[in-house]
Amino acid sequence: MLNDFSPSSCDHQRAGDPASFRGDVRRATLPPVADTVCRLSQQLAARAFQVEVGDLRRPSRCRANIALARQAAMYLANVAGEVTFTDVARRFGRDRSTVSHACGLIEDLRDDAGMDAAIDLLSDALRASCRMNDLRQRVGRRFTSIR
């Protein structure tokens, strides 16, 4: 469901040499679903941690509460949204190792019952938001084809 990004839609398979492959992957755009999931996870985490969405997208680490909200958003996109580390990293303007670190950190913080409950609620909210977004797109297509 979340992975409808076909390899034929990007141009990174034209050359066999690893250097050109890496370069093309960096320039590739995010799959539309991954972009939506990352955007929704940022919005949910920003609201839950009471920070601005724009703060999550800043290139600097910022304050600890903003960094934690960003890490939670990365975790949600990866775990609940099933988006790869690489795609999450592109959307957040970070390296994939940063996303890996964020996911490990949030997993460790889930040992606390309160944090675990909060992440569970956010995960459920992200999944529901993705389903609603998908439904809106399907219904919109159906109604536009009737006219």
Side-chain angles (χ1 to χ4, degrees):
M1 175 185 114
L2 290 176
N3 191 8
D4 69 321
F5 182 62
S6 64
S8 62
S9 64
C10 57
D11 60 305
H12 64 61
Q13 296 187 2
R14 70 177 180 268
D17 105 64
S20 68
F21 176 78
R22 280 192 305 265
D24 288 339
V25 168
R26 285 191 200 114
R27 286 190 300 268
T29 58
L30 279 179
V33 173
D35 190 52
T36 300
V37 168
C38 289
R39 182 178 43 79
L40 290 171
S41 71
Q42 288 174 346
Q43 291 170 350
L44 286 168
R47 180 163 290 194
F49 288 87
Q50 300 175 343
V51 298
E52 297 294 321
V53 174
D55 290 338
L56 301 182
R57 296 180 181 147
R58 289 187 186 186
S60 64
R61 288 194 288 186
C62 301
R63 297 184 309 266
N65 64 328
I66 294 171
L68 182 61
R70 182 184 304 114
Q71 290 163 339
M74 289 177 179
Y75 176 85
L76 290 170
N78 177 252
V79 175
E82 300 176 4
V83 179
T84 65
F85 284 165
T86 303
D87 287 343
V88 172
R90 282 188 193 128
R91 177 64 172 151
F92 282 82
R94 301 291 196 269
D95 187 73
R96 67 179 301 283
S97 65
T98 303
V99 178
S100 175
H101 172 76
C103 290
L105 182 77
I106 296 298
E107 276 295 328
D108 290 345
L109 291 175
R110 289 191 76 167
D111 289 341
D112 175 61
M115 182 61 124
D116 187 47
I119 294 296
D120 278 343
L121 286 172
L122 289 170
S123 295
D124 292 344
L126 178 62
R127 289 183 186 107
S129 295
C130 289
R131 283 193 300 271
M132 285 301 298
N133 192 48
D134 186 46
L135 182 63
R136 267 189 234 116
Q137 289 176 352
R138 288 181 190 187
V139 169
R141 272 183 275 172
R142 192 172 301 142
F143 286 129
T144 56
S145 64
I146 292 174
R147 294 180 190 164

